[in-house]
């Protein structure tokens, strides 16, 4: 089954959560202003969902046929795939029988499993997380012990004897009872309520600050950072072991292909034990479906061996091309006969011409910022955009001339071969179209020129927004600065290699959002007569959910739940959510938010930090090595996957180990 169809199906079934009841199709999630959402009729999303489930059934059937029934019953992921499909189809039939009025849809919780089982890297990451949990649990237990000890100390310390005493205010606000004290110190562990939690007691006696400083020093600066170090070390070790096993499977598969092709060559009269004929390998490669760039690189490497047979080592090195990011060569520049045109081509194709363009972009940015500051206090209908209109005409004209000159110097194919030029060209064309439209509608800029606002954004506002896109051209100076280039390349590689980690985060967000909808949907309601609470409303506590007007942060639909979870993950003011949902739904709601904090902020963010450190250290070490060898940075062939970050420390499997494994393989029979 084509992987693109399967990926689209997974994307589609996950997106159903935005459409299903409760629908996210409202302009705002604020409970004060939100209108009744449009909910799809019964059978619409169910029909799409059953089509997706049928695609998964077909995918499972193909996979079970390919691996065989013996291996199928040993594969936990395939068995889980089967179980999830059975539960989903059963729950789907229950939904239809109840005319889509069932209170709980169990199958929504299992939808992220389809994303997990379709990615080997996500499975590998999940396995490494599971292996790292015992070490993480040891530090989490230390954190829990740290919290419990200081909670009891705080309950004993802040007893309060007088009504206006600082100790009494501290007790009534943060240490009223054991759950409140534990929550206050847990939030302090994330520094979200610092120094608020300390102020009542500290204002009475400065010595009370020692209690909170010691707690923060041990918990936030020592134990939390120790947890980061343990997660980085353990996860990196287990991930490396997983990649070592993956490397062994790759080498085993390549060696199996070598043995099969060698057996074929022997059947054609080739002496036994010699190797693989290049023409036989080329015939096989012609029938293989893979990326054209990699296929051409592999076939070119095979042709370079001529007619000599390939040994096992040569055969393996050929397929190392799959681990490289190929750099496409740019088309040759056009040839001009005139000396004047040749000089112009050299001038406009030079790197300094790009630097001039960056300076113009910077000037464009400065001009926009200046006028935004000047017009900040002027309403749009009273603004005189004459000067800014003239400047925009000049900048757009320069961008157009620059694009045409680059096309002249590089040729159209050469110009389009640079992604930055494609972006510049698209933005320039968009600017030109909007500028011509502005001149046609509002005429040429003149003193007192005030284009009217039409709709949400006027044509003039759209022009200025698109103009801001040109600012991104200025980022092209980054590769010319070596230290910034290392950081920038690390960020780009993270974006490319974060699919597995991002997928895990999507799964966690999805599951917690669905659970949150089932637990807290509709619990946040606006008090009668307080449809628009002002910040100075004396009826609510300062810093509370109501006073801060956090009404849009709720679990009334899937999109709102995702945003609420994000805000809690950032842990800024997350004590507001803990307090609000405790009051609206009950004290047990704290368990949900604390679990989300542990999974997202403690575990996943630290895993993300581990990957950043590994990627950056790899880039930095590689840069230092290349500089020591050649004095320059070479970027023609870089590692393309997160697995290759560990390639320098992975051990190549021994020849005897591969042959012995193949001899015991049930589907490969060696003739030698």
């Amino acid at each position: 089954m084509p992987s693109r169809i399967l990926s689209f199906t997974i994307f589609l079934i996950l997106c159903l959560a935005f459409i299903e009841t409760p629908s996210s199709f409202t302009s705002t999630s604020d409970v004060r202003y939100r209108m009744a959402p449009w909910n799809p009729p019964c059978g619409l999303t169910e029909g799409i969902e059953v089509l997706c489930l049928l695609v998964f059934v077909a995918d499972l059937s193909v996979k079970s046929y390919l691996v065989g029934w013996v291996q199928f019953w040993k594969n936990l992921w395939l068995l889980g795939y089967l179980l999830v499909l059975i539960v989903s189809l059963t729950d789907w039939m229950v939904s239809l029988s109840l005319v889509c009025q069932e209170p709980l849809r169990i199958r929504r919780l299992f939808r992220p499993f389809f994303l997990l089982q379709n990615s080997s890297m996500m499975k590998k990451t999940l396995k490494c997380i599971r292996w790292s949990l015992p070490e993480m649990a040891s530090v989490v237990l230390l954190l829990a012990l740290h919290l419990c000890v200081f909670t009891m100390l705080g309950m004993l310390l802040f007893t309060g004897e007088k009504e206006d005493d600082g100790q009494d205010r501290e007790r009534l606000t943060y240490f009223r009872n054991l759950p409140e004290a534990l929550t206050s110190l847990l939030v302090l562990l994330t520094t979200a309520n610092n120094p608020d939690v300390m102020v009542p007691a500290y204002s009475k006696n400065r010595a009370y600050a020692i209690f909170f400083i010691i707690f923060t020093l041990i918990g936030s600066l020592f134990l939390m950072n120790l947890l980061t170090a343990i997660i980085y070390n353990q996860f990196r070790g287990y991930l490396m072991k997983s990649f070592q096993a993956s490397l062994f499977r790759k080498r085993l598969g390549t060696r199996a292909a070598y043995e099969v092709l060698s057996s074929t060559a022997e059947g054609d009269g080739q002496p036994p034990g010699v190797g693989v004929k290049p023409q036989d390998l080329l015939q096989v490669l012609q029938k293989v479906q893979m990326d054209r760039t990699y296929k051409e690189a592999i076939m070119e490497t095979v042709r370079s061996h001529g007619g000599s047979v390939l040994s096992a080592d040569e055969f393996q090195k050929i397929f190392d091309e799959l681990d490289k990011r190929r750099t496409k060569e740019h088309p040759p520049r056009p040839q001009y006969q005139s000396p004047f045109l040749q000089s112009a081509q050299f001038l406009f194709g030079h790197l300094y011409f790009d630097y001039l363009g960056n300076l113009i972009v910077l000037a464009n940015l400065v001009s926009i910022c200046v006028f935004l500051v000047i017009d900040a206090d002027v309403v749009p209908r009273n603004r005189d955009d004459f000067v800014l209109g003239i400047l925009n005409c000049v900048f757009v004209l320069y961008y157009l001339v620059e694009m045409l000159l680059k096309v002249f110097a590089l040729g159209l194919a050469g110009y389009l071969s640079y992604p930055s030029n494609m972006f510049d060209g698209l933005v320039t064309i968009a600017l030109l179209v909007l500028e011509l439209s502005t001149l046609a509608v509002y005429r040429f800029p003149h003193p007192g020129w005030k284009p009217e606002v039409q709709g949400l954004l006027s044509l003039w506002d759209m022009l200025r927004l698109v103009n801001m896109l040109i600012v991104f051209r200025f980022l092209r100076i980054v590769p010319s600065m070596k230290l910034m280039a290392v950081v920038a390349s690390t960020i780009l590689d993270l974006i490319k290699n974060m699919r597995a980690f991002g997928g895990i985060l999507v799964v966690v967000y999805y599951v917690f959002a669905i659970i949150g909808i089932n637990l807290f949907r509709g619990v946040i309601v606006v008090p009668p007569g307080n449809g628009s609470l002002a910040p100075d409303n004396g009826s609510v506590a300062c810093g509370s959910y109501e006073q801060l007007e956090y009404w849009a942060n709720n679990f009334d639909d899937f999109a709102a739940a995702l945003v609420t979870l994000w805000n809690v993950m950032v842990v800024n003011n997350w004590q507001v959510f803990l307090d609000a949902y405790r009051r609206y739904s009950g004290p047990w709601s704290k368990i949900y938010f604390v679990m989300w904090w542990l999974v997202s902020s403690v575990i996943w963010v630290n895993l993300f930090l581990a990957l950043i450190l590994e990627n950056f250290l790899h880039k930095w070490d590689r840069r230092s090595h290349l500089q020591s060898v050649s004095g320059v940075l070479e970027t023609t062939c870089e590692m393309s996957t997160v697995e290759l970050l560990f390639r320098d420390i992975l051990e190549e499997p021994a020849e005897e180990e591969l042959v012995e494994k193949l001899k015991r393989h049930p589907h490969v029979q060696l003739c030698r």
Side-chain angles (χ1 to χ4, degrees):
M1 180 177 295
S3 59
R4 291 184 179 179
I5 296 178
L6 189 60
S7 299
F8 175 76
T9 305
I10 295 172
F11 172 78
L12 183 61
I13 197 170
L14 291 178
C15 288
L16 287 179
F18 293 98
I19 306 174
E20 295 172 327
T21 305
S23 171
S24 300
F25 286 170
T26 54
S27 60
T28 178
S29 60
D30 195 315
V31 296
R32 299 171 298 176
Y33 315 121
R34 183 180 58 204
M35 304 296 292
W38 172 84
N39 289 315
C42 182
L44 178 60
T45 57
E46 286 75 15
I48 299 174
E49 184 176 14
V50 74
L51 291 177
C52 296
L53 293 177
L54 290 177
V55 172
F56 295 138
V57 169
D59 177 57
L60 177 63
S61 302
V62 172
K63 289 179 178 178
S64 60
Y65 173 78
L66 292 176
V67 302
W69 286 108
V70 176
Q71 294 296 323
F72 174 82
W73 293 110
K74 295 180 180 179
N75 192 311
L76 296 179
W77 281 103
L78 291 180
L79 291 176
Y81 200 178
L82 176 62
L83 180 61
V84 169
L85 284 175
I86 293 175
V87 173
S88 299
L89 288 171
T90 303
D91 190 59
W92 178 83
M93 290 185 288
V94 172
S95 295
L96 289 185
S97 63
L98 297 177
V99 198
C100 307
Q101 298 298 323
E102 74 280 13
L104 177 64
R105 296 181 181 180
I106 301 176
R107 64 185 184 277
R108 299 179 72 182
L109 284 173
F110 293 102
R111 286 176 184 170
F113 180 85
F114 301 126
L115 179 63
L116 279 176
Q117 63 83 30
N118 193 46
S119 171
S120 59
M121 187 61 195
M122 288 178 64
K123 295 176 185 177
K124 194 175 301 181
T125 304
L126 199 62
K127 183 185 295 184
C128 293
I129 293 175
R130 179 171 57 85
W131 286 343
S132 304
L133 283 178
E135 288 76 13
M136 297 181 196
S138 62
V139 182
V140 172
L141 287 176
L142 278 177
L143 281 172
L145 180 62
H146 172 66
L147 279 172
C148 291
V149 169
F150 274 83
T151 297
M152 290 184 289
L153 289 177
M155 294 287 292
L156 295 173
L157 186 62
F158 305 112
T159 56
E161 298 179 357
K162 299 180 181 179
E163 195 165 315
D164 293 330
D165 188 54
Q167 286 180 284
D168 192 63
R169 286 190 289 114
E170 183 76 38
R171 179 183 64 82
L172 293 177
T173 306
Y174 300 105
F175 291 88
R176 180 178 305 165
N177 50 52
L178 191 61
E180 288 292 332
L182 190 62
T183 302
S184 299
L185 291 182
L186 176 62
V187 175
L188 180 60
L189 196 64
T190 64
T191 68
N193 60 350
N194 185 69
D196 298 353
V197 69
M198 181 178 67
V199 167
Y202 178 64
S203 61
K204 183 66 177 179
N205 191 326
R206 69 179 71 230
Y208 286 122
I210 299 175
F211 171 83
F212 297 98
I213 292 174
I214 293 177
F215 174 83
T216 305
L217 187 66
I218 297 175
S220 300
L221 302 182
F222 180 71
L223 290 179
M224 292 298 289
N225 289 322
L226 179 63
L227 179 63
T228 300
I230 289 177
I231 289 177
Y232 170 71
N233 184 62
Q234 295 296 328
F235 181 76
R236 182 180 184 274
Y238 288 127
L239 196 61
M240 187 178 64
K241 291 179 182 179
S242 182
F243 288 150
Q244 182 69 56
S246 178
L247 177 64
F248 180 81
R249 290 193 296 269
K250 288 182 180 179
R251 295 293 184 260
L252 186 65
T254 305
R255 186 53 188 263
Y258 172 81
E259 295 293 341
V260 172
L261 291 175
S262 297
S263 302
T264 304
E266 293 174 16
D268 295 337
Q270 187 76 22
V274 174
V276 176
K277 294 181 179 179
Q279 56 269 28
D280 293 342
L281 181 56
L282 289 173
Q283 291 178 2
V284 174
L285 290 173
Q286 290 288 352
K287 301 177 181 180
V288 174
Q289 295 182 357
M290 60 186 303
D291 185 86
R292 186 178 65 178
T293 304
Y294 290 104
K295 178 184 280 191
E296 291 176 355
I298 293 175
M299 296 181 70
E300 184 65 27
T301 306
V302 174
R303 294 190 186 99
S304 65
H305 287 81
S308 59
V309 295
L310 302 172
S311 64
D313 291 338
E314 292 173 336
F315 190 85
Q316 174 58 55
K317 291 179 180 178
I318 288 174
F319 289 93
D320 287 342
E321 298 291 332
L322 294 173
D323 295 334
K324 300 176 182 178
R325 182 188 303 138
R326 309 303 304 178
T327 303
K328 297 182 180 179
E329 296 182 359
H330 299 288
R333 297 187 176 186
Q335 301 293 327
Y336 297 106
Q337 301 299 326
S338 171
F340 173 76
L341 294 180
Q342 290 178 356
S343 300
Q345 183 185 30
F346 173 79
L347 177 64
F348 299 125
H350 200 275
L351 187 62
Y352 287 155
F353 188 64
D354 286 338
Y355 292 159
L356 176 62
N358 291 333
L359 290 177
I360 298 297
V361 172
L362 180 60
N364 192 178
L365 173 63
V366 171
S367 67
I368 293 174
C369 292
V370 168
F371 281 96
L372 287 176
V373 172
I374 294 175
D375 296 338
D377 298 328
V378 182
V379 295
R381 65 175 178 271
N382 295 330
R383 293 179 183 177
D384 187 353
D385 292 323
F386 166 63
V387 178
L388 186 58
I390 294 295
L391 289 177
N392 273 281
C393 290
V394 173
F395 283 122
V396 170
L397 181 62
Y398 174 81
Y399 298 146
L400 177 62
V401 172
E402 181 192 34
M403 181 183 68
L404 295 177
L405 291 177
K406 284 188 175 182
V407 171
F408 160 77
L410 304 175
L412 182 60
Y415 179 83
L416 296 177
S417 64
Y418 293 89
S420 59
N421 286 341
M422 292 182 63
F423 177 77
D424 293 345
L426 291 174
V427 174
T428 301
I429 293 173
L431 283 169
L432 181 62
V433 171
L434 288 173
E435 182 68 22
L436 293 176
S437 302
T438 304
L439 297 178
V441 175
Y442 302 111
R443 299 182 181 180
F444 197 78
H446 53 81
W449 195 49
K450 302 173 184 178
E452 296 179 358
V453 178
Q454 300 176 358
L456 180 63
L457 290 176
S458 68
L459 189 61
W460 186 242
D461 291 330
M462 293 175 59
L463 176 61
R464 287 189 287 187
L465 287 176
V466 176
N467 217 341
M468 292 295 292
L469 296 177
I470 291 291
V471 176
F472 287 102
R473 293 181 55 199
F474 197 66
L475 296 177
R476 292 189 302 178
I477 68 170
V478 172
S480 62
M481 304 178 67
K482 294 181 179 180
L483 294 179
M484 289 180 62
V486 174
V487 177
S489 61
T490 301
I491 295 174
L492 292 177
D493 282 344
L494 280 174
I495 295 174
K496 296 175 182 177
N497 300 329
M498 279 297 296
R499 287 179 296 179
F501 291 85
I504 296 292
L505 186 62
V506 168
V507 170
V508 174
Y509 259 95
Y510 201 99
V511 171
F512 270 84
I514 296 299
I515 295 175
I517 291 173
N518 291 322
L519 293 178
F520 308 118
R521 179 188 173 190
V523 300
I524 299 294
V525 292
V526 180
N530 290 327
S532 179
L533 292 175
D536 57 352
N537 194 327
S539 62
V540 294
C542 181
S544 65
Y545 183 92
E546 296 82 2
Q547 188 267 331
L548 295 172
E549 296 190 338
Y550 279 9
W551 301 103
N553 293 282
N554 53 64
F555 291 89
D556 290 351
D557 59 70
F558 188 72
L562 293 178
V563 176
T564 303
L565 290 175
W566 171 264
N567 292 332
V568 175
M569 187 183 76
V570 177
V571 301
N572 184 35
N573 273 354
W574 73 299
Q575 72 276 10
V576 176
F577 299 95
L578 289 173
D579 175 68
Y581 281 90
R582 175 191 62 80
R583 290 185 285 106
Y584 282 102
S585 61
W588 51 266
S589 61
K590 292 183 179 180
I591 300 175
Y592 172 85
F593 288 101
V594 172
M595 289 298 298
W596 170 246
W597 169 73
L598 284 174
V599 172
S600 61
S601 296
V602 176
I603 296 179
W604 192 89
V605 171
N606 282 303
L607 290 177
F608 181 69
L609 179 60
L611 183 62
I612 290 179
L613 289 173
E614 190 62 40
N615 207 331
F616 179 77
L617 292 175
H618 169 78
K619 286 281 184 181
W620 188 266
D621 293 341
R622 184 172 178 270
R623 169 183 176 274
S624 302
H625 173 71
L626 290 175
Q627 283 184 331
S628 64
V629 173
S630 59
V632 295
L633 287 176
E634 300 179 7
T635 58
T636 55
C637 179
E638 297 183 354
M639 298 194 173
S640 59
T641 64
V642 69
E643 298 181 37
L644 299 178
L645 296 176
F646 300 90
R647 176 55 57 86
D648 296 336
I649 54 179
L650 294 180
E651 297 180 358
E652 287 289 337
E655 177 79 10
E656 297 78 10
E657 188 178 3
L658 292 174
V659 174
E660 181 64 25
K661 185 70 174 180
L662 284 177
K663 287 181 179 179
R664 294 185 283 106
H665 199 281
H667 302 294
V668 178
Q669 295 182 356
L670 301 182
C671 300
R672 301 189 297 276

